[in-house]
Amino acid sequence: MPIFKKQYSINIEDDLASPEETLLDSGSEFSNIERPIHSGVFNSMFWGVTALLAIIFIFTLKIAIGDYKYYANLAYQNRSANFSIPPARGVIMDREGNPLVKNIPKFDVVGVSKEVKAALRDGTLDTAKLATTLKIEKSELESSLNQKTQEVSIFFIATGLSKEQILAIQGMKPPGVYLIPDVERVYVDGVKFSTVLGYVGKVNKDDLAKDQYYSPTDTIGRLGIEANYESTLRGEHGRIFFGDIEDKIDVDAQNGGNLVLNIDADLQRHLYDELRSVLAGAGLSRGAGIIQNPQTGAVLAMVSFPSFDNNQFAGGLSQSAYTAIFQNPARPLFNRVVSGLYNPGSTIKPLMGLMTLQEGIMGPSDTIQDCVSISIPNPFNTEVVYTFKNWRAELGSFNLRKSIANSCNIYFFTVGGGFGKIAGLGIQRIVKYLEGSFANKILGIDLPSEEHGFVPTPDWKESTRGEPWYQGDTYNTSIGQGDLSVTPLWLNSYISAISNGGTIYQPQIAERIVDSNKNTIKLISPKVLGTLPFRDDVLSEVKSDMEETVISGTAQIFNDLPVRVGAKTGTAEVVKGQSINSLFTAFAPFEHPELAVTVLIEGSASNQGLALRATHAIFEWYFNQTVPILSPTPSE
């Protein structure tokens, strides 16, 4: 059968290019078909891949050779037990460099679970001898070891060993059991400085969750300087590794930074002792005191009663100690100086005097006729009359100076809320000046939990109580009663500002951070918050009026001192007819004050001059006087 082959042919028309033409045209600048890939692209790809491979090669060499020890150590940590060594916290010193806290070296005993298990299995761990050394029962030790080796890789067996115990364990060399260095925080005169220093305690779950720095065996600052400067004082952890590799690297702990405070240790002790004495003598337990340098805001001493012994927290609180501190209604851990809010009572009157002169309500020589009482009618029922009395009846005219010196309520009722022909400041201007003097603001002391004061206003009363603001409310505010509340810290700061010419400083406990050789790392300089909103002549007049309190007024006991003193007494009724808070604030020497002091006595049945008496004792000691303290007469 014949085979027919299919014939193929190409018909090329004139407007189509031949294959040869196509190839020739591809190199033309007029080509519209395709172009070859430029050789530069291949060159770039080659060198790019070469560079990438070179980087990978170099990086591999760096890991394998250059960083061998680092990664080997990490690998070792992952397959070995490691123990975090807590650093020694920084030392806290008074202004003269005297330590207020010490770190006492001690040793703890830890067990490495893997090694202890093996030693218990093969009988190489003599639990009887170890129990005798640690002064615990053998059965108790064995039970603890069996339990803890199932729970964690490293655990404490005992803490705070004696020298004899340390030597005994070193001689025994029990397998899986190791001595670990540690320090115990010990406070010098702890109970007298605890208000300032605070204390340290074991970290809790919240601490561990908030900051990865901490391990379960760490301590952390609670309250006071210990808490506020935690990041400075805490240092950096060290580590001890337990394993079978000879070239393991242990890491030494780095001690925390040291603090030098503005606190004068002797002045602190005297303030504590004097205030404790007057409280105990009157059968009272609650009070507070603060002493500052008015020229810088530096806090020289601070106490709050009842106090507490911060050394009790070092080894863990007993149940009785826990109850005495945490379930005490007097709240020993509560710092009344920075967190307590109180009616300032008559200690607000110098500030009211500044307002009066600044606004021209009355001049320094203008007077009211007496200091007995004033009466005002009810604005909604004129048949109802309210009478506001002075704390004691005094006849004769009273100007501003005499009113501050003798604490005349009637004068300040008149200039504050108005009476007769005197319009008075009115609550709006009083609020303006109180807020302008930082009465409702945080001053920023370097201690935790500072509270700001509260200045009542008509809008606040209307919104919270559904009541209008009455003239009587302004009267109460004008003498530091009613809803006006401030901290003793603010009270001392505003009095300091009057004494120094008007500058309000930030109160500061710490003065500088230093290294182990007491070389300054950081200086904490005085910080100006603002100035009192009054003219210089007004400030000068009221400062002189405060001296009159000592010359002829309610604080004449201070006349026996070798320096001039400016002062103001005050009481605030807590429970009508039953309980008062007594306050006293003063500065000296008058010309260039070195000390500004405010003392609070809580819950006295009557005004016994306790705050005044404690302050007098401090000034007498500070200014090197030996004159015996006189028993003061009750004063406003």
Side-chain angles (χ1 to χ4, degrees):
M1 182 174 177
I3 299 174
F4 296 97
K5 296 182 178 180
K6 191 171 182 178
Q7 301 295 316
Y8 293 91
S9 63
I10 299 175
N11 184 21
I12 301 175
E13 298 181 3
D14 292 341
D15 58 347
L16 296 176
S18 67
E20 294 81 3
E21 290 174 325
T22 299
L23 294 174
L24 290 172
D25 188 56
S26 66
S28 168
E29 63 177 324
F30 302 107
S31 171
N32 60 1
I33 298 178
E34 63 180 17
R35 293 175 181 269
I37 299 175
H38 195 278
S39 61
V41 175
F42 293 102
N43 290 336
S44 298
M45 291 178 63
F46 171 78
W47 289 112
V49 171
T50 301
L52 180 60
L53 291 173
I55 292 171
I56 294 173
F57 179 73
I58 292 170
F59 186 69
T60 302
L61 285 179
K62 182 177 183 297
I63 293 175
I65 300 175
D67 295 336
Y68 169 78
K69 288 186 177 180
Y70 172 76
Y71 287 104
N73 188 47
L74 284 182
Y76 173 71
Q77 292 181 39
N78 290 332
R79 66 185 180 86
S80 66
N82 67 85
F83 185 82
S84 176
I85 301 296
R89 290 177 71 85
V91 176
I92 304 173
M93 295 166 274
D94 80 343
R95 63 189 307 173
E96 300 297 331
N98 302 309
L100 303 177
V101 61
K102 296 179 180 180
N103 295 317
I104 307 299
K106 67 172 187 174
F107 280 86
D108 303 328
V109 180
V110 298
V112 178
S113 295
K114 181 180 178 181
E115 298 179 28
V116 170
K117 285 180 182 178
L120 289 173
R121 270 196 313 269
D122 57 27
T124 56
L125 179 58
D126 189 342
T127 54
K129 190 174 182 181
L130 180 60
T132 301
T133 301
L134 298 178
K135 299 179 180 179
I136 57 178
E137 293 292 329
K138 178 175 178 288
S139 59
E140 181 184 345
L141 174 62
E142 291 178 343
S143 175
S144 175
L145 293 178
N146 288 326
Q147 178 184 350
K148 290 179 179 178
T149 52
Q150 303 300 322
E151 297 174 348
V152 289
S153 60
I154 297 181
F155 57 91
F156 281 99
I157 298 175
T159 60
L161 270 64
S162 67
K163 183 178 180 180
E164 292 75 17
Q165 290 173 312
I166 294 170
L167 292 174
I169 290 177
Q170 286 177 332
M172 291 169 54
K173 295 183 179 178
V177 177
Y178 298 89
L179 290 169
I180 299 296
D182 198 357
V183 291
E184 181 179 354
R185 195 77 158 165
V186 176
Y187 298 97
V188 181
D189 282 341
V191 71
K192 296 185 179 182
F193 289 87
S194 57
T195 298
V196 172
L197 299 182
Y199 66 96
V200 292
K202 289 292 184 182
V203 295
N204 55 36
K205 291 181 179 180
D206 291 338
D207 300 320
L208 295 172
K210 290 177 184 176
D211 194 335
Q212 295 182 349
Y213 166 90
Y214 298 104
S215 67
T217 58
D218 280 337
T219 59
I220 188 173
R222 307 283 190 199
L223 301 181
I225 286 294
E226 291 279 24
N228 203 75
Y229 288 92
E230 169 68 12
S231 60
T232 297
L233 293 167
R234 69 189 186 183
E236 295 295 335
H237 291 94
R239 288 195 176 275
I240 293 180
F241 299 97
F242 303 99
D244 54 2
I245 294 180
E246 295 182 358
D247 61 348
K248 64 186 177 69
I249 302 173
D250 293 337
V251 180
D252 292 332
Q254 297 180 19
N255 294 351
N258 303 318
L259 280 177
V260 176
L261 308 184
N262 287 311
I263 295 294
D264 181 320
D266 289 337
L267 190 59
Q268 175 79 16
R269 292 186 182 98
H270 274 79
L271 178 61
Y272 178 92
D273 290 342
E274 295 299 340
L275 193 48
R276 181 176 181 275
S277 177
V278 298
L279 285 169
L284 302 173
S285 63
R286 307 180 191 188
I290 178 173
I291 304 175
Q292 288 176 271
N293 180 347
Q295 311 302 329
T296 64
V299 177
L300 307 178
M302 178 190 293
V303 297
S304 178
F305 285 89
S307 187
F308 64 96
D309 186 354
N310 40 18
N311 284 308
Q312 288 184 305
F313 292 87
L317 292 175
S318 65
Q319 184 57 47
S320 59
Y322 180 89
T323 301
I325 293 175
F326 288 96
Q327 297 179 11
N328 188 336
R331 303 171 66 188
L333 300 180
F334 181 68
N335 186 339
R336 287 166 164 78
V337 175
V338 303
S339 303
L341 292 175
Y342 304 91
N343 290 139
S346 293
T347 58
I348 203 67
K349 289 173 180 176
L351 187 57
M352 292 299 301
L354 292 170
M355 301 179 202
T356 298
L357 298 180
Q358 183 77 14
E359 291 292 331
I361 302 301
M362 293 180 71
S365 59
D366 293 333
T367 62
I368 60 172
Q369 63 180 6
D370 59 42
C371 193
V372 179
S373 66
I374 56 175
S375 298
I376 58 172
N378 185 312
F380 304 105
N381 183 357
T382 55
E383 294 183 0
V384 177
V385 177
Y386 300 107
T387 299
F388 295 83
K389 298 180 180 181
N390 191 43
W391 63 282
R392 67 181 179 189
E394 291 189 86
L395 300 175
S397 61
F398 277 74
N399 60 8
L400 176 59
R401 178 163 300 194
K402 188 177 179 181
S403 296
I404 287 178
N406 291 280
S407 205
C408 176
N409 287 345
I410 307 306
Y411 180 92
F412 292 99
F413 288 153
T414 302
V415 298
F419 181 70
K421 295 181 180 180
I422 300 174
L425 287 157
I427 190 58
Q428 299 298 344
R429 283 191 284 190
I430 292 174
V431 168
K432 180 186 75 171
Y433 283 114
L434 282 169
E435 293 181 348
S437 301
F438 291 73
N440 65 331
K441 297 178 177 65
I442 294 290
L443 299 181
I445 189 172
D446 46 348
L447 291 178
S449 305
E450 181 191 350
E451 281 287 347
H452 59 79
F454 176 73
V455 178
T457 65
D459 289 341
W460 164 81
K461 187 180 180 188
E462 181 68 39
S463 63
T464 58
R465 297 180 180 171
E467 299 175 357
W469 186 270
Y470 297 112
Q471 188 176 8
D473 294 320
T474 305
Y475 282 176
N476 281 333
T477 304
S478 300
I479 61 166
Q481 296 277 176
D483 295 298
L484 177 64
S485 57
V486 298
T487 63
L489 178 68
W490 174 81
L491 184 56
N492 204 59
S493 295
Y494 113 76
I495 293 297
S496 294
I498 290 178
S499 74
N500 70 28
T503 303
I504 301 175
Y505 287 97
Q506 183 181 63
Q508 290 183 341
I509 303 285
E511 192 231 352
R512 54 199 159 99
I513 301 171
V514 299
D515 62 18
S516 57
N517 296 317
K518 297 186 179 180
N519 297 313
T520 299
I521 297 173
K522 179 182 178 182
L523 182 66
I524 305 172
S525 302
K527 181 179 179 181
V528 175
L529 298 179
T531 57
L532 293 175
F534 306 104
R535 300 189 306 270
D536 290 345
D537 62 306
V538 170
L539 288 164
S540 179
E541 174 63 32
V542 171
K543 180 180 178 181
S544 295
D545 296 344
M546 291 186 69
E547 186 184 19
E548 191 66 31
T549 305
V550 172
I551 295 172
S552 65
T554 55
Q556 294 182 49
I557 183 177
F558 286 82
N559 278 321
D560 65 3
L561 298 180
V563 293
R564 296 165 62 193
V565 179
K568 185 70 196 78
T569 52
T571 58
E573 196 167 49
V574 179
V575 179
K576 190 172 181 63
Q578 298 180 34
S579 175
I580 65 168
N581 290 337
S582 175
L583 295 121
F584 183 75
T585 185
F587 58 86
F590 182 85
E591 300 84 354
H592 188 78
E594 299 173 21
L595 302 182
V597 182
T598 295
V599 172
L600 161 76
I601 303 294
E602 275 193 50
S604 177
S606 62
N607 195 341
Q608 305 169 57
L610 301 178
L612 182 147
R613 214 169 92 200
T615 307
H616 179 274
I618 291 294
F619 277 12
E620 182 184 46
W621 169 81
Y622 186 85
F623 296 112
N624 298 314
Q625 286 299 289
T626 57
V627 178
I629 301 173
L630 302 177
S631 298
T633 56
S635 57
E636 162 63 359

